Amino acid sequence: QQEEDKLIEYMDELEFLAHTAGATVVKRFTQKLTQPDSKTFIGSGKAQEVREYVKENGIGTVIFDDELSPSQLKNLEREIEVKILDRTNLILDIFAQRAQTSYARTQVELAQYQYLLPRLTRMWTHLERQKGGIGMRGPGETEIETDRRIIRDRISLLKEKLKTIDRQMSTQRNNRGKVVRTALVGYTNVGKSTLMNALSKSDVFAENKLFATLDTTVRKVVIGNLPFLLTDTVGFIRKLPTQLVESFKSTLDEVREADLLIHVVDISHESFEDHIASVNQILMEINAHQKPMIMVFNKIDDFSYEQKHEDDLTPESRKNISLGEWEKTWMSKSKYPTVFISALTKENFEEMKKMIYDEVLKIHISRFPYND
Ligand code: GDP
């Protein structure tokens, strides 16, 4: 049962991603195999089933929740005869659509080429098919090799470009001097941009879709006469394509160089615990897990807690839960200062600001010792 819930949730997330990319989802298929089929990932029986559905309903694209190997992609395209996207490709597409700065665009382009490189043969057979194979004298490996070389050159060029921007950004960060730097981290769609807006009274793009934030924004925030910098970082997501983890290095640099992390959690999401784990995992990978942190449990206005936590909260207390009651839940038992808020209705906002103020002040004081 638990496994099935997970499956539904993963498919929900994939549908959300597809929607963000601009697709309309009409049908879901699931397949249970002890291990993925090496040729077609889902097995040829399932592929036939999908093919029939696609044919009958005039479907344009089939999306897979995992990354397919180049040959699986090729085989599936041949069997189902429709455009196949895997999770990686879909996510790259969304990032490409939404990249706003030249830096983000360069990062996405690099990731896309890295994804494309091992899949180049597939592109080539496409072209061949289009041209009907006529007039394609002796293309074969040599031309694929030429294409590969062009792409490799492009990849090195993009990497160089990124290095240059990296250096510029690092200089910018150094110039920010001794001001305390805080970074919002958290799974995607948890409300980081909304919180950023509320704290800095600026207008960062917030919408109910994944990846609204691609580029980091740094804002100056003042709480009780204490100025500090607040960075909104890219939303973390489960199974982020490795090409992106690497290429979004600079976004993560903001996190790596922050003095204080504000970990935002969407408590209304049924798997918020998994989200916390994913975020912590990434923080560990970039060696930022030992920084001071504040846990901000957001969206308490939209909270519906399922049975699994009934030991913590009695059913009657589910609505209008007071701060005192929140503080009795397991979530408060973390080693970090913890607060429960709604970025939307501003509930408990003052408590959160006080908490941020206290933590920032601690860091601030440690930097300017009186006996110095
Ligand atoms: P980000 O991806 O973490 O930056 O998340 P956003 O700030 O873009 O917010 C994602 C969605 O959650 C938007 O539709 C917000 O309006 C919504 N949201 C943010 N905070 C709250 C909250 O406290 N309560 C509710 N109900 N929705 C919220």
Side-chain angles (χ1 to χ4, degrees):
Q1 178 60 35
Q2 231 175 6
E3 223 171 89
E4 234 147 72
D5 286 348
K6 270 269 166 294
L7 196 66
I8 291 171
E9 189 201 310
Y10 288 170
M11 289 302 255
D12 282 346
E13 188 183 86
L14 188 69
E15 183 164 338
F16 197 30
L17 281 169
H19 172 71
T20 302
T24 312
V25 177
V26 290
K27 171 98 178 151
R28 295 177 178 192
F29 289 93
T30 52
Q31 169 70 312
K32 213 171 186 169
L33 293 174
T34 41
Q35 66 190 65
D37 185 77
S38 62
K39 288 208 182 76
T40 57
F41 194 71
I42 48 173
S44 61
K46 193 53 123 186
Q48 275 311 311
E49 191 189 326
V50 176
R51 175 198 164 91
E52 272 160 35
Y53 184 85
V54 161
K55 283 256 139 39
E56 273 166 29
N57 297 279
I59 302 300
T61 309
V62 176
I63 305 174
F64 286 75
D65 191 38
D66 286 273
E67 182 167 318
L68 300 167
S69 74
S71 73
Q72 284 168 338
L73 201 59
K74 190 168 71 186
N75 294 335
L76 280 166
E77 216 145 33
R78 201 179 284 146
E79 283 208 19
I80 303 178
E81 288 189 293
V82 73
K83 185 176 174 191
I84 307 285
L85 284 182
D86 63 10
R87 186 183 171 89
T88 305
N89 202 341
L90 179 67
I91 291 178
L92 288 174
D93 188 76
I94 296 170
F95 272 95
Q97 266 180 35
R98 288 163 177 258
Q100 280 171 17
T101 61
S102 100
Y103 189 56
R105 277 196 294 271
T106 312
Q107 285 174 318
V108 177
E109 200 184 335
L110 174 62
Q112 281 179 315
Y113 276 126
Q114 284 169 335
Y115 175 83
L116 185 64
L117 193 57
R119 291 167 178 81
L120 212 55
T121 40
R122 181 178 71 104
M123 298 277 297
W124 197 252
T125 38
H126 257 316
L127 274 177
E128 272 180 328
R129 213 189 293 145
Q130 265 171 20
K131 296 190 181 171
I134 302 163
M136 296 280 290
R137 240 172 313 143
E141 289 307 312
T142 43
E143 294 205 18
I144 294 168
E145 265 322 307
T146 313
D147 276 8
R148 280 205 183 114
R149 209 190 55 231
I150 293 170
I151 290 188
R152 274 193 209 106
D153 288 350
R154 186 83 194 134
I155 286 176
S156 339
L157 203 76
L158 290 168
K159 280 185 174 164
E160 276 309 310
K161 197 171 159 191
L162 281 177
K163 258 191 214 151
T164 313
I165 313 179
D166 260 341
R167 273 194 294 272
Q168 286 165 359
M169 289 174 112
S170 139
T171 315
Q172 276 171 18
R173 277 195 299 270
N174 287 336
N175 290 343
R176 287 184 209 145
K178 292 221 165 186
V179 183
V180 175
R181 294 195 321 231
T182 64
L184 290 165
V185 297
Y187 209 72
T188 182
N189 218 47
V190 296
K192 295 182 298 296
S193 312
T194 311
L195 197 59
M196 174 95 170
N197 286 338
L199 281 169
S200 66
K201 302 197 180 58
S202 61
D203 256 325
V204 180
F205 185 47
E207 60 169 353
N208 193 19
K209 282 185 177 175
L210 297 176
F211 307 115
T213 325
L214 263 180
D215 303 294
T216 49
T217 18
V218 183
R219 292 274 144 75
K220 189 174 157 188
V221 178
V222 181
I223 300 178
N225 278 338
L226 184 63
F228 61 93
L229 295 174
L230 181 65
T231 307
D232 185 0
T233 61
V234 65
F236 297 168
I237 187 163
R238 192 177 58 89
K239 288 203 277 181
L240 186 73
T242 46
Q243 295 93 335
L244 279 181
V245 174
E246 213 190 306
S247 63
F248 275 82
K249 183 181 157 292
S250 159
T251 296
L252 299 177
D253 271 349
E254 291 285 351
V255 176
R256 215 180 277 125
E257 295 183 11
D259 305 300
L260 171 69
L261 303 179
I262 303 175
H263 187 163
V264 187
V265 180
D266 173 1
I267 209 170
S268 74
H269 197 290
E270 57 185 330
S271 35
F272 73 88
E273 287 158 273
D274 288 347
H275 294 173
I276 296 175
S278 299
V279 171
N280 285 337
Q281 177 64 35
I282 293 177
L283 291 179
M284 196 114 95
E285 280 166 23
I286 62 167
N287 211 4
H289 57 296
Q290 278 161 343
K291 288 182 186 296
M293 185 150 84
I294 294 177
M295 296 298 294
V296 175
F297 289 96
N298 188 32
K299 304 198 191 181
I300 57 171
D301 61 291
D302 193 22
F303 177 75
S304 60
Y305 225 27
E306 293 306 330
Q307 269 82 348
K308 62 174 180 165
H309 289 303
E310 247 173 41
D311 328 341
D312 279 340
L313 293 166
T314 57
E316 306 87 73
S317 67
R318 282 183 195 169
K319 283 185 218 97
N320 299 319
I321 302 165
S322 72
L323 204 54
E325 282 170 286
W326 281 117
E327 277 158 9
K328 282 185 211 133
T329 64
W330 65 266
M331 291 163 269
S332 280
K333 310 252 181 323
S334 117
K335 61 177 170 178
Y336 303 108
T338 300
V339 68
F340 301 87
I341 66 150
S342 165
L344 214 59
T345 67
K346 305 274 171 73
E347 222 176 313
N348 300 334
F349 227 64
E350 288 312 309
E351 283 83 353
M352 178 191 67
K353 280 166 85 171
K354 175 82 177 57
M355 193 168 277
I356 296 174
Y357 175 87
D358 287 346
E359 293 305 306
V360 171
L361 188 64
K362 266 189 226 164
I363 298 162
H364 186 76
I365 290 174
S366 73
R367 284 222 177 130
F368 297 96
Y370 300 115
N371 53 1
D372 208 83

